[in-house]
Amino acid sequence: AGIPVYLGVDVGTSGARALAIDTAGTVRGSAHIALPAPTCTDNGGQQQAPELWWRALLAVLRQLADALPPALEPKALALDGTSGTLLLTDRNGYPLHPALLYADRRAAAQARRIAAVAPAQSGAHGATSALAKLLWLREQGLAHAAHALHQSDWLLGRLGAPWGVSDENNALKLGYDPVARAWPQWLGELDVPPDMLPQVYEPGTPVGLLNGELAAHLGLPDSLTLVAGTTDSVAAFIATGARTPGDGVTSLGSTLALKLVSSRPVFAPEMGIYSHRLGHLWLAGGASNTGGAVLRAHFSDAEIARFSLAIDPHAPTGLDYYPLSRPGERFPVADPDLPPRLTPRPADRKTFFQALLEGIAAVEKLGYARLGEAGADTLQSVRSVGGGAVNTAWTTLRAHTLGVPMSPATHSAAAYGAAVLARQRSDETAHQILERDNREQ
Ligand code: ADP
């Protein structure tokens, strides 16, 4: 037998990335395919043909399989997809409409119906939740659909897993209760037929085997185990290597998003604090409106690079900014009218730039403190991802503000996190999975 490797695929709405890792976590191969842009409708809709995902998945897996040396033997595969992306299918997994992407906001009226019955801490709130989309689609003449599936659920089914299988992370926005580990009773009040909801597994659980014909077509073993995946953001978290209570991951993208491993779930809906289940641990998180977009509004990328080298992170400006692009914040301050605080404006641009970095770091500190106050474990270390993670002056400044060690992230690609899930229960053999499937049928 060859050297075992585990495959992870991150399927987003702009492309698909696949990685193979070995038992030690070393990347042994990778591939990437771009996807055509989604279609926007003039009433706030965003949709994409699921067939495009499927073609991208096949292409990226084929590219990966071709790139792997023959001595490597793929053992298992996991997928992550964009959370809140929903598709209704018939009994055989045949799509009944173009998939609704996470940013589709057409289900506003349905969100109000959900708000009337769902507890505040449910992940199903808001017009972009998968549940709001499900209710909206059912009202568009699709009430007869057999399965409500997320992006990665549908792709896993096409690869060979039974139809109607999902994971505890994707299912959160469809209303799944991760504390009770069940679909809640209140879904009945919204007339959601229970058999339309997927069967939910812990991420990393073997759920099927790669279809034999596909295996031959792709050049992959037909004994390849398919395991339950997760959402793109949880996969990106897993990829960083954070996994002990108190491990934080800060995403420094256009916006600032914090995640913290906790031994307890925490919820503070008024601040948008929610928790994903991660096996026996929890992943508490919140997202602020501050972030790199504010930097970009005032500085070019070249200036960001130049001023970052020029500032002294040990000499704070003390300007106490709260950088926002427009008024309004949810986390760590719940105030829909919170004004940006970007004054007084110093004479030189370098000092202004440093004050913005300090302001974002202060919001980061307050955010981790809020997660702790809500009941999560105290912050012990921080890993950084996103566009701002490369900025070493900022990392130094943030370490000083946060007062904890800054750890390097193992990997920045969500696909790596999916591959880690594929490796998680590699001891379960194909034979055991088939036996369990037969018992359950
Ligand atoms: P997203 O996917 O959220 O749009 P990215 O993770 O690609 O964002 O990060 C983009 C952001 O990163 C931009 O808003 C930019 O301001 C910020 N950024 C890029 N390079 C740097 C840098 N060297 N220092 C600080 N911020 C940076």
Side-chain angles (χ1 to χ4, degrees):
I3 301 162
V5 287
Y6 306 92
L7 313 185
V9 189
D10 167 55
V11 187
T13 48
S14 62
R17 186 176 297 281
L19 275 179
I21 64 169
D22 60 21
T23 310
T26 305
V27 176
R28 296 296 198 114
S30 67
H32 179 260
I33 291 281
L35 266 169
T39 312
C40 296
T41 67
D42 46 17
N43 57 347
Q46 260 199 41
Q47 50 196 46
Q48 201 166 40
E51 205 57 34
L52 294 175
W53 305 339
W54 175 236
R55 269 186 250 147
L57 176 61
L58 285 182
V60 85
L61 281 176
R62 192 155 192 170
Q63 213 186 83
L64 179 66
D66 288 349
L68 292 180
L72 304 183
E73 192 186 330
K75 289 287 191 192
L77 180 152
L79 292 162
D80 71 80
T82 314
S83 77
T85 291
L86 193 81
L87 177 65
L88 303 188
T89 73
D90 70 7
R91 288 180 51 239
N92 302 315
Y94 189 82
L96 301 175
H97 62 99
L100 302 197
L101 303 189
Y102 67 101
D104 191 299
R105 344 193 110 264
R106 284 176 287 186
Q110 290 72 20
R112 285 191 286 277
R113 285 174 57 206
I114 295 167
V117 296
Q121 70 266 29
S122 169
H125 287 286
T128 59
S129 78
L131 182 60
K133 290 179 177 121
L134 168 59
L135 299 181
W136 185 83
L137 285 166
R138 281 176 56 79
E139 288 169 20
Q140 309 298 308
L142 293 170
H144 61 287
H147 298 295
L149 300 174
H150 306 96
Q151 187 179 33
S152 55
D153 307 339
W154 183 70
L155 291 170
L156 207 59
R158 287 216 64 172
L159 287 175
W163 290 111
V165 161
S166 189
D167 62 82
E168 293 190 293
N169 301 148
N170 268 299
L172 197 71
K173 288 188 180 172
L174 196 52
Y176 178 79
D177 179 344
V179 178
R181 302 195 107 158
W183 292 108
Q185 290 292 330
W186 54 260
L187 283 170
E189 293 174 50
L190 297 166
D191 298 323
V192 177
D195 51 3
M196 202 175 174
L197 298 169
Q199 188 166 352
V200 181
Y201 291 90
E202 187 176 320
T205 308
V207 290
L209 294 176
L210 181 63
N211 170 298
E213 268 173 44
L214 271 176
H217 170 73
L218 292 170
L220 289 169
D222 61 5
S223 56
L224 191 80
T225 303
L226 302 173
V227 316
T230 183
T231 63
D232 49 358
S233 68
V234 174
F237 176 89
I238 294 170
T240 66
R243 60 194 153 141
T244 308
D247 285 353
V249 173
T250 299
S251 171
L252 301 165
S254 306
T255 59
L256 175 79
L258 310 185
K259 290 200 164 64
L260 179 60
V261 184
S262 171
S263 13
R264 297 164 293 278
V266 298
F267 300 96
E270 69 288 355
M271 271 193 276
I273 297 178
Y274 63 95
S275 295
H276 272 294
R277 187 184 266 278
L278 265 188
H280 65 285
L281 291 173
W282 295 84
L283 188 47
S288 162
N289 291 335
T290 194
V294 189
L295 294 178
R296 270 221 176 122
H298 296 276
F299 297 93
S300 68
D301 285 358
E303 283 178 314
I304 291 177
R306 184 154 51 87
F307 287 137
S308 297
L309 290 175
I311 62 170
D312 178 0
H314 300 287
T317 67
L319 283 169
D320 192 30
Y321 285 177
Y322 201 116
L324 292 171
S325 301
R326 62 188 73 82
E329 178 67 307
R330 181 131 184 245
F331 168 85
V333 180
D335 178 355
D337 303 314
L338 187 77
R341 198 164 66 231
L342 295 170
T343 52
R345 181 79 62 96
D348 74 296
R349 296 196 17 96
K350 187 185 81 173
T351 307
F352 179 51
F353 175 74
Q354 178 164 353
L356 287 177
L357 295 186
E358 287 169 9
I360 298 170
V363 178
E364 182 184 10
K365 180 187 169 79
L366 186 62
Y368 281 118
R370 285 277 186 272
L371 293 176
E373 287 157 20
D377 291 70
T378 308
L379 185 70
Q380 303 290 342
S381 74
V382 172
R383 290 168 172 82
S384 309
V385 297
V390 299
N391 190 324
T392 51
W394 201 5
T395 308
T396 306
L397 188 159
R398 291 166 53 226
H400 205 68
T401 305
L402 296 166
V404 295
M406 308 297 277
S407 308
T410 307
H411 212 283
S412 60
Y416 189 95
V420 168
L421 284 178
R423 188 184 58 183
Q424 194 161 285
R425 292 192 13 203
S426 50
D427 49 328
E428 256 183 88
T429 64
H431 181 69
Q432 284 170 312
I433 298 160
L434 286 177
E435 276 202 338
R436 196 192 56 207
D437 277 359
N438 289 337
R439 269 200 313 277
E440 281 174 8
Q441 266 158 24

